[in-house]
Amino acid sequence: MASKDDANLGDLLLFNTGIIFGVIAGLAVALRFTSKLWTVGKVQSDDWWILAGLFLFWAEDIIQCWSTIAMSRAIQNEYVGFDYVHWIKVSYSSGIFYFPSALFAKISLLILYRRVFSVPSFRMASAIVMVVAILFYLSCMVTQTVLCVPIQRLWDPTIAGYCYPYGTFLVAAVSLEIGMDVAVLSLPIPMIVNLHLPTSKKITIACVFLLGGFVIITNIVRIILCYDPETKADIVWHDEFWLILHLATAILCACLPTYGPLLQKFATLPSTIRKRYASYSNKSSRDVPLEKFPSNSGSREPIHKYGRMDVYPQNNSHFAEAAKYRDENLMETKEVPATSIRVTDTVNVV
């Protein structure tokens, strides 16, 4: 039997884990959509798959947090007023969301692989892995659904029937999922090795894809900590803690390869700003204001009344000559209709 201190620890740890990693997964998907819309200009099919996986993860996260907190409080209150039947029904429903969420994250990653590496042999291999992943997770969903036959026996042991040992199912499902993760993560490595890129660049790309290996670690830890045939008290919050961590990590790692173009844009943003500022400064320095030449009547009207003020040549000799005529008051101008050009007659007095 778990102590009250253990219950408090499980309550606090799982609640914080659910909130923090739920937000992290949401930010990862939001940044992925931002990257696609900013660089590609559209959202693609793999983005919709990961978004669906995120929604399912949030649903599973909320249910798991609620069920574990409810159990922890029941332990604190020595099960007084605890509705065990309601608790087991809600906890059981969380499995409906876990397996589809993990599947959608893998499908999203595989579709991304197929778009990046269009080699026919690779596309065939990725299609095979995708089909195997779909069959595997569907079988896990069915097994989770018929964990007890009839299902009512799960919360009422007096009903005739049987239940599969959940610990055995957990170890088998997680072990096979680890193998599935290894297959998905190692799939693009041969393609990366054959890229015509510097070795350092290949290593960087491979590391981005292999960061998903953390999901393998979370599953291994989940088996070690959660499978205990002698005790079932700690399995409640230990299992849910690592399950939430696993799903959030899977979603985050499926989004990491899409951040490359966005990071490149951010890296070049300072130089782009400097270039635009320099271009604006150069343009401003070329804008020479037009002087207003006095006419014989002494008025201060602009030389060109009907058109643009900057149509005169910027050659220094022209400006010097115009200044000379202005000072000697020898320039006579006459206006023409707005549909014509400006005509200037120069009369030299001898």
Side-chain angles (χ1 to χ4, degrees), residues 290-294 300-306 309 312 322 331 333-335 342 344:
L290 183 67
E291 292 191 51
K292 296 183 178 181
F293 295 94
R300 303 292 293 177
E301 294 297 325
I303 273 186
H304 200 293
K305 185 176 180 180
Y306 300 101
M309 301 295 295
Y312 294 97
M331 181 175 290
T333 61
K334 55 185 178 180
E335 297 180 355
R342 174 75 175 174
T344 301

Side-chain angles (χ1 to χ4, degrees), residues 177-341:
E177 189 175 29
I178 291 174
M180 186 63 58
D181 291 332
V182 171
V184 172
L185 294 175
S186 61
L187 194 60
I189 299 302
M191 302 300 300
I192 296 174
V193 171
N194 293 326
L195 290 175
H196 298 289
L197 294 173
T199 303
S200 58
K201 187 69 172 179
K202 292 181 182 180
I203 294 175
T204 302
I205 296 174
C207 288
V208 171
F209 284 107
L210 291 178
L211 283 175
F214 190 70
V215 300
I216 300 175
I217 298 175
T218 57
N219 263 341
I220 293 174
V221 174
R222 186 182 171 199
I223 292 177
I224 295 173
L225 293 181
C226 300
Y227 179 68
D228 187 354
E230 301 297 329
T231 268
K232 293 186 178 180
D234 291 339
I235 193 175
V236 174
W237 69 271
H238 278 168
D239 182 42
E240 305 313 330
F241 170 81
W242 288 101
L243 186 147
I244 291 173
L245 187 61
H246 173 76
L247 277 182
T249 305
I251 292 174
L252 174 61
C253 293
C255 294
L256 285 177
T258 65
Y259 298 155
L262 186 62
L263 294 177
Q264 291 177 1
K265 278 187 171 292
F266 276 116
T268 59
L269 187 60
S271 62
T272 302
I273 293 175
R274 286 195 299 268
K275 289 179 180 178
R276 290 187 178 180
Y277 177 76
S279 175
Y280 174 78
S281 300
N282 293 336
K283 181 180 178 182
S284 299
S285 64
R286 291 194 302 266
D287 291 338
V288 180
L290 183 67
E291 292 191 51
K292 296 183 178 181
F293 295 94
S295 63
N296 293 332
S297 61
S299 64
R300 303 292 293 177
E301 294 297 325
I303 273 186
H304 200 293
K305 185 176 180 180
Y306 300 101
R308 292 179 53 188
M309 301 295 295
D310 58 347
V311 297
Y312 294 97
Q314 302 288 322
N315 188 287
N316 292 333
S317 62
H318 291 282
F319 281 101
E321 185 178 2
K324 177 182 177 182
Y325 294 149
R326 180 197 62 188
D327 294 338
E328 296 177 357
N329 200 17
L330 298 176
M331 181 175 290
E332 297 180 0
T333 61
K334 55 185 178 180
E335 297 180 355
V336 293
T339 56
S340 305
I341 64 172

Side-chain angles (χ1 to χ4, degrees), residues 45-46 49 102-115 122-138 180 183-185 187:
S45 59
D46 54 306
W49 280 105
L103 173 62
F104 290 170
K106 286 184 175 57
I107 290 178
S108 173
L109 191 57
L110 289 170
I111 293 176
L112 177 64
Y113 286 169
R114 290 169 62 84
R115 187 169 59 251
F122 177 84
R123 294 177 66 86
M124 177 63 68
S126 61
I128 293 174
V129 174
M130 189 181 299
V131 170
V132 172
I134 293 173
L135 294 176
F136 165 71
Y137 282 106
L138 285 177
M180 186 63 58
V184 172
L185 294 175
L187 194 60

Side-chain angles (χ1 to χ4, degrees), residues 10 17 19 22 33 41 44 49 70 76 99 141 146 166 171 202 207-208 217 226 246 280 288 339 343:
T17 300
I19 295 296
F33 272 70
Q44 296 169 304
W49 280 105
Q76 293 176 14
F99 292 113
M141 291 173 60
V146 296
Y166 181 78
V171 173
K202 292 181 182 180
C207 288
V208 171
I217 298 175
C226 300
H246 173 76
Y280 174 78
V288 180
T339 56
V343 178

